[in-house]
Structures are given as C-alpha cells and as structure tokens.
C-alpha cells in the first residue's frame, strides 16, 4: 500500500478489540490507508467497546501477550510511548499535517517519543483459529 492508496473495508467480523491489537486507522467508509494504530494498555474500557463498531476498524494483527504471561507491562507495549488518538479526539499526530507539511520532520519535532514499525511479519494464524473460518 502506498500513501494515498485506499484499502477497502473488511466485512464485519464482530471482533472485540483487546490490548495489543493492531488495526488500520480510518475516518469513514473505505478511508483506510497505510496508517495503523495499536491498542495500548492504558486504553479505557469504553473505548475498547467502541473500537470495531465501524466498518473500517478490523484488527489484522496483535502483539502476542501470551509470551509475557498476558502481562502488557512486560511486553514491548510497555516500552512504546502513546500520544493518543489524532486531533480532535486526542493529542496524537494530525494525519493532514504529516502529508501536507514536512512529514517526518513534523513527527520528529512535535512527537519526539513516537515509535515506528520497521518490520512486521506473520508469526502464526492464531486469530483466524480463534475467530473461525470466516476470518
């Protein structure tokens, strides 16, 4: 996926979001691009209930907390800094400013503790087994 390319929404799977789940970020039907979010340990329960209610929010990966005894504080999540959701809902980066202004320079200047994914790969098909064959 290249910047500006849009990813069609997935069919509704009714997956309850959990800490460590990763999903494409979107702002409306068929609005997903290359931006993703990870559900962090400090995410409020009411927000977890809201995630996944929109067609553009479908988890596609997760940080495997089983390796850490299910304790997010022992996982890589504990090392990542969370700025929160994008404006106006949170203090995170404004996607429009990333692409219109000076991109990575804006992120480095305004969000110095922001973490970046350098590599992502499939470890196993665990979620597909848990959800069922429709996944």
């Amino acid at each position: 996926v290249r910047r500006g390319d849009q990813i069609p929404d997935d069919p509704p799977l009714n997956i309850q979001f959990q800490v460590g789940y990763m999903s494409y970020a979107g702002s409306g039907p068929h609005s997903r691009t290359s931006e993703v979010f990870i559900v962090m340990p400090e995410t409020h329960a009411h927000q977890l209930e809201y995630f996944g209610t929109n067609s553009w929010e479908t988890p596609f990966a997760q940080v495997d907390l089983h390796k850490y005894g299910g304790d997010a504080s022992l996982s890589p999540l504990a090392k990542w800094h969370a700025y929160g959701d994008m404006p106006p809902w949170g203090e995170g980066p404004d996607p429009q400013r990333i692409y219109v202004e000076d991109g990575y320079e804006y992120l480095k200047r305004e969000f110095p503790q922001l973490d970046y994914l350098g590599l992502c790969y499939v470890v196993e098909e665990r979620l597909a087994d848990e959800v069922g064959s429709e996944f």
Side-chain angles (χ1 to χ4, degrees):
V1 176
R2 294 191 173 124
R3 184 173 68 89
D5 290 351
Q6 292 183 325
I7 301 168
D9 293 347
D10 293 306
L13 298 175
N14 300 318
I15 298 172
Q16 179 68 42
F17 275 66
Q18 299 176 27
V19 170
Y21 276 25
M22 184 182 296
S23 176
Y24 285 103
S27 59
H30 307 294
S31 63
R32 301 182 302 177
T33 60
S34 60
E35 297 169 18
V36 298
F37 69 91
I38 299 173
V39 179
M40 300 299 284
E42 61 273 2
T43 303
H44 297 284
H46 74 319
Q47 194 168 9
L48 283 174
E49 293 171 7
Y50 179 75
F51 285 147
T53 60
N54 297 306
S55 60
W56 55 89
E57 295 173 337
T58 302
F60 65 86
Q62 71 183 63
V63 174
D64 187 1
L65 298 180
H66 295 99
K67 293 166 65 172
Y68 308 97
D71 187 348
S73 69
L74 301 175
S75 77
L77 291 174
K79 298 175 185 164
W80 297 338
H81 182 79
Y83 285 100
D85 206 344
M86 66 182 179
W89 303 280
E91 302 295 321
D94 181 343
Q96 298 304 316
R97 290 186 66 190
I98 295 170
Y99 300 125
V100 177
E101 292 186 14
D102 48 359
Y104 285 114
E105 293 304 316
Y106 158 70
L107 293 174
K108 288 179 193 175
R109 182 180 63 251
E110 302 293 327
F111 304 94
Q113 294 180 299
L114 189 66
D115 294 294
Y116 299 86
L117 294 175
L119 177 67
C120 185
Y121 56 92
V122 175
V123 176
E124 24 181 314
E125 301 285 338
R126 180 179 300 169
L127 186 57
D129 293 339
E130 291 175 4
V131 173
S133 62
E134 74 274 2
F135 189 78

